[in-house]
Structures are given as structure tokens and as C-alpha cells.
Amino acid sequence: MVYLDRLIPQDSILRNRHFVYLWSAQGLSQTAQQATWFGMLVVVQETSRSSAVLGAAILSTVLPGVFVGLLAGVIVDRSRKKSILVWTNLLRAGVILGYLFYPISLAVVFAVNVLFVAISQFFGPAEAATIPDLVKRRQLLVANTLFNFTFTISQMVGIVLLAPWIIKFVGAPALFGVIAFIYLICTGLVMFLPASQPPARGLDTLRRDTLVADTKRDLGEAWGFISADRQTWWSMAYLTTASAVILVMAMLVPGYMDKVVGVQAVDAVFLFAPTGAGIVLVSSVLGRLAKKRHLTSLSHVGLVVASISMIMLGLIDRIVTTVLDFQVGMQLVPILVVVSAAFGVGFGLINISSQTLLMTRAPVQSRGRIFAVLLMLGNMAAVVPIVFLGSIADLIGINNTIAIVGLIVATVFFVGKTGLARSEGPAPAASGS
């Protein structure tokens, strides 16, 4: 305990054991979720050898969030958050074993994946709504920074380390068994959280004859707040933009390395790794930045940096060949590393700042629905890149597609900044007590 006192300051959020339980559960569950999707895509590809079937598998990961997300928010706000967290982890531990049917029927795998994703829609809003209950208002920025940090790390661990190595050396069935065990650990962690406050309106108040009307009313209340509060509106717009953009990069970067830079697609790590490093860098300094700048201003800086980085990625091959008389190839990688790290900085600024602002403004009784709307918008924004982006890139080129998406991000910045300038009241600072 003496060493603990020396390592962790008395006012550190890491001394809040309930927060640490939730944070640990988030990191483990995100790692498991990323590994699940990677494992699912691998078994579908190896079983079907079909790009069309693989596209259907990706859609089965996205569409449940569009259709289930809003209902999940209503149920979360009418339930004790701890119960939702416990049951979603426990159910995912059981459902994950359904992926083991992949040698028999991919249709079963798709059905299992839809169910798995649908259950996960309840975890996200419940988790986001729980964070402000566990930490002080002035610690929300730190909490969101840590959650975004572990989200980034979990993607690398789940997709780069856990899933590929287990599949390669032990096999896909072992991977799904390990993931089920991880979700059981998460279940145990969230069981240590304090009992949640009873909701203002419980599930028991819903009646069959008024179910549709009550659900519409609940969603209308959440949407009414979102549309009336411009800070919340634009925070959600920025988070949705960031969610779509990171998916665009994940889809296009391997082809970019192959067709534009002229190296193997596997060398996409030279862009993915610096992006993660940029997010980690922002996570380490954002607390100090927020003492000097409003959260909305930091989001705007992030949008500008991300848009410029994407435009640079789209143009850099022509710049180095025409202006610098430089040959593309591995010689271009050092420049790409810097641009990619800048993109990670921009993405981190958008994501952490906007999510913290959203938590500080969302009414307690509506948090679940508001974050469910956010998740639904993110899933809807993901459908367009998945369905159309590949064809657009084939038509106009990957580099031009990335540059155009960068211009779209810049447009979101200009429209958002203008809209907020016309609204009343300044953005709240992150360092409030």
C-alpha cells in the first residue's frame, strides 16, 4: 500500500475502484469485441472465399445498430444501469459460442452476429451513462481520455495480437472460447459496481397497449434535448463524423499503400500505428489543453487537423513526384508516418473533447437514449462507406477519395463553427469543479 500511495496521487481517478472496475471491463470487452469481429470475418472469408459474402458479414455487424440502437436507449434509461452491464456481458459470453457453427452454416454465423451486435447496443449507452455517476464532474475529461485510450489499445490488441495469433496457432474455435471467458471476467467486474439508482420511469410502467406511444415519447424527449441544445447537437455531429472517418481510413489505407504508394498492403501498419500513437499523445496532454481552451474549440482544432491530414494523404504522391521530384515507394513512408500521426491527433481531439462535452450536458434521465442515438448515427454513417466507398475509390482513385473525405470533414468544421457561433452561450470548459 505504501508503494501505491507513492505511485497514485490521492486525488487520482485511479483511486476510484468503481471507475477502475468499469474501465477494466470496457477495455476487456472492447478487446473481445474487436477480436470477435476479426475472427468472424476470417472464418467467413476462409469458408466462402467470396467478397460478396464478406460484405454481407460486415453489414450484419452494422445494421443491428441502426435498428436496435434507439430501442436500446429507451430500455437503458428505464433500467438500472448495473443490471444492463451485467446481463449484456453475460449474454455475450454465451452467444459468442454460436460462432463455432461456421463450418456447418454461415447463415447461422450471420444470425449469431446480428444477435451479438444487438446485445452490444445495450452495453454502450449503459456504460456511457454510468461514467458520470462514478466520477466527479471535473474528472469526466480524464475518464473519457482513459476510455478512449483503452479503446485504441483494445483495437490493436484484439485485431493485431489476440485474434490473429490464436487463430494461427490454435484455431478459430479456441479464439471464440477465449472471448467467451473474457466476457465472463467482464461480468464479474461490473458486478462490483455500486447499485444503480432506480430510473425515474421503470420498465414496469410500460404497458402493451401504450408501448409504441411511450417509446416514441421517450425518444422524442431525447431528440428534443439534442435538437434544442446546439452544443450537444454539434458534439454528436462531430463524433459521428469521426466514427465514419476512422472507418474510411481502415477500409482505404491497405489499398492506398498498395496502389498509391506502391508497397505491399500489409505495410498499412506504417499508417495505422502512427495514428494510434497520435491518439495516445492527445490522451496524455488533453487535460492540460482543456484548461486553456474550451472543449468545442479543441474539437474544432481536431476537425481542422484531421481534414488537412486526409487531404495531404490524398495529394502527397503527386506533391512528391512533381514538386520534390521524389519517387513514391518506401521512401515516402517517413512522410506518411508524420501525416498519419497528425490524423491520430485530430481524431483524438474530436473524439475525447466531444464525448466529454456530451456527458457534461446530457440530462441524467436521458443519457442512455442520447448515447443510443449517437451509436445509431455512427452505425448509419458506417453503412455509406461500406456500401459505396469501394466503388467510388475504384472509379476516381483511392487517393482522390481520401482527399474528398478530408474536404467533407473541413465542411463539417466550417458549418459547425458557424452554427455554434450563432447559438447562445459559450461552450463549457472541461476543467469545471
Side-chain angles (χ1 to χ4, degrees):
M1 294 299 294
V2 174
Y3 293 107
L4 180 65
D5 290 337
R6 292 177 179 175
L7 291 174
I8 305 178
Q10 289 293 331
D11 60 345
S12 172
I13 196 173
L14 297 180
R15 285 187 176 272
N16 183 337
R17 69 179 187 280
H18 293 138
F19 170 79
V20 173
Y21 292 149
L22 183 64
W23 182 38
S24 301
Q26 180 253 4
L28 288 172
S29 66
Q30 284 291 343
T31 300
Q33 187 166 292
Q34 301 299 326
T36 298
W37 290 338
F38 182 92
M40 187 268 295
L41 293 177
V42 168
V43 298
V44 169
Q45 176 64 29
E46 290 183 349
T47 304
S48 68
R49 303 291 180 183
S50 168
S51 297
V53 175
L54 190 62
I58 296 174
L59 282 177
S60 73
T61 301
V62 173
L63 292 180
V66 176
F67 295 107
V68 180
L70 292 180
L71 178 61
V74 172
I75 293 176
V76 166
D77 276 338
R78 287 177 170 267
S79 306
R80 293 180 183 269
K81 308 300 184 291
K82 177 180 176 179
S83 298
I84 296 290
L85 294 172
V86 170
W87 280 106
T88 50
N89 280 309
L90 189 60
L91 288 173
R92 286 188 290 185
V95 169
I96 204 76
L97 299 178
Y99 289 104
L100 295 174
F101 286 94
Y102 72 88
I104 302 173
S105 171
L106 286 181
V108 173
V109 171
F110 288 171
V112 168
N113 194 55
V114 168
L115 181 58
F116 173 81
V117 175
I119 294 171
S120 298
Q121 298 308 303
F122 292 82
F123 181 83
E127 176 193 69
T130 301
I131 295 173
D133 292 336
L134 298 181
V135 304
K136 299 175 182 177
R137 183 184 178 90
R138 61 183 174 81
Q139 293 179 316
L140 278 176
L141 181 63
V142 178
N144 278 299
T145 298
L146 291 173
F147 268 70
N148 276 272
F149 173 76
T150 49
F151 177 78
T152 303
I153 297 299
S154 69
Q155 287 184 310
M156 291 188 284
V157 173
I159 296 176
V160 178
L161 297 178
L162 183 66
W165 287 99
I166 292 181
I167 291 176
K168 182 176 182 179
F169 291 106
V170 190
L175 172 65
F176 296 127
V178 169
I179 293 171
F181 180 69
I182 292 175
Y183 277 123
L184 288 177
I185 295 175
C186 294
T187 303
L189 286 170
V190 295
M191 288 181 69
F192 286 108
L193 296 177
S196 305
Q197 293 295 321
R201 291 195 297 263
L203 286 173
D204 56 353
T205 63
L206 290 175
R207 300 199 312 272
R208 184 180 302 176
D209 55 336
T210 62
L211 179 61
V212 174
D214 288 343
T215 301
K216 287 183 177 179
R217 181 193 63 197
D218 286 1
L219 293 175
E221 289 177 356
W223 185 253
F225 172 79
I226 293 169
S227 58
D229 188 282
R230 305 315 294 172
Q231 296 286 348
T232 297
W233 173 273
W234 283 108
S235 292
M236 297 188 76
Y238 297 161
L239 285 167
T240 301
T241 301
S243 175
V245 165
I246 202 71
L247 177 64
V248 167
M249 295 296 284
M251 291 181 63
L252 295 184
V253 162
Y256 177 89
M257 298 299 290
D258 178 24
K259 298 179 180 179
V260 178
V261 183
V263 298
Q264 293 183 347
V266 71
D267 291 322
V269 67
F270 291 112
L271 286 187
F272 287 139
T275 297
I279 297 173
V280 172
L281 174 63
V282 166
S283 301
S284 64
V285 302
L286 193 57
R288 290 190 289 273
L289 290 176
K291 293 179 180 179
K292 301 179 181 179
R293 300 289 297 272
H294 291 301
L295 289 173
T296 303
S297 298
L298 293 175
S299 296
H300 288 161
V301 172
L303 288 165
V304 171
V305 173
S307 64
I308 292 175
S309 301
M310 297 189 76
I311 293 170
M312 284 295 297
L313 282 176
L315 301 178
I316 199 163
D317 62 314
R318 280 158 284 191
I319 292 174
V320 300
T321 54
T322 59
V323 178
L324 302 178
D325 194 23
F326 204 67
Q327 292 297 316
V328 295
M330 287 300 290
Q331 300 94 328
L332 191 60
V333 168
I335 302 175
L336 293 176
V337 166
V338 175
V339 176
S340 178
F343 172 78
V345 169
F347 175 81
L349 285 170
I350 301 168
N351 216 42
I352 301 173
S353 301
S354 297
Q355 189 157 327
T356 302
L357 182 60
L358 197 58
M359 284 186 178
T360 62
R361 300 185 77 92
V364 174
Q365 68 275 11
S366 304
R367 284 177 188 155
R369 283 166 284 169
I370 289 172
F371 280 97
V373 170
L374 175 62
L375 290 176
M376 184 204 68
L377 292 174
N379 283 305
M380 290 179 65
V383 172
V384 175
I386 289 173
V387 176
F388 298 109
L389 209 59
S391 300
I392 294 173
D394 290 339
L395 184 65
I396 67 173
I398 293 178
N399 51 348
N400 292 326
T401 304
I402 293 177
I404 289 173
V405 175
L407 290 174
I408 293 173
V409 175
T411 302
V412 171
F413 160 71
F414 284 115
V415 175
K417 187 174 178 60
T418 302
L420 283 169
R422 293 173 180 172
S423 63
E424 294 181 1
S431 55
S433 56

